[in-house]
Amino acid sequence: MPANAIVYVHYGPYESCGVVDHRESRLEGLMTVLKADGHNPELVKMNDWNVVELWVNGERIFSCDIRELDYGGDGKLDDICSKALEAVVEAY
């Protein structure tokens, strides 16, 4: 995938401490990894609970449970972030 491509990160709400809400703290590592590789990720809220989807050119290329992503951090040690980046690179 060429650098500076737009990657849409669709994410849904998840429950934490008894409150269901859209939170971006688990997406920080994923966003950092995508930006470091030269992509332009854009966050898009969706209604599906516990889901993160990466979309490129109108096609869903990756999906996972948002609760499986590491909380905070830079994403370098998160295997799911590595798999997501690989899916983005192979999208073309």
Side-chain angles (χ1 to χ4, degrees):
M1 178 169 192
N4 300 325
I6 297 175
V7 178
Y8 294 99
V9 180
H10 293 248
Y11 67 104
Y14 67 94
E15 182 179 354
S16 177
C17 300
V19 178
V20 177
D21 196 12
H22 287 88
R23 294 179 180 83
E24 298 174 5
S25 55
R26 290 196 179 265
L27 301 174
E28 290 175 6
L30 178 61
M31 299 294 284
T32 301
V33 167
L34 290 172
K35 288 177 184 176
D37 199 51
H39 305 292
N40 296 320
E42 291 189 15
L43 294 174
V44 180
K45 292 181 181 179
M46 63 185 212
N47 292 328
D48 295 341
W49 282 31
N50 307 321
V51 178
V52 173
E53 297 177 348
L54 300 183
W55 289 75
V56 175
N57 291 333
E59 181 180 341
R60 185 179 69 187
I61 59 165
F62 184 80
S63 178
C64 70
D65 190 322
I66 193 169
R67 298 169 297 177
E68 294 177 358
L69 291 168
D70 289 344
Y71 185 86
D74 60 4
K76 292 180 182 177
L77 299 177
D78 192 343
D79 291 335
I80 297 174
C81 289
S82 298
K83 291 176 185 176
L85 179 60
E86 183 179 324
V88 170
V89 171
E90 294 177 357
Y92 277 88

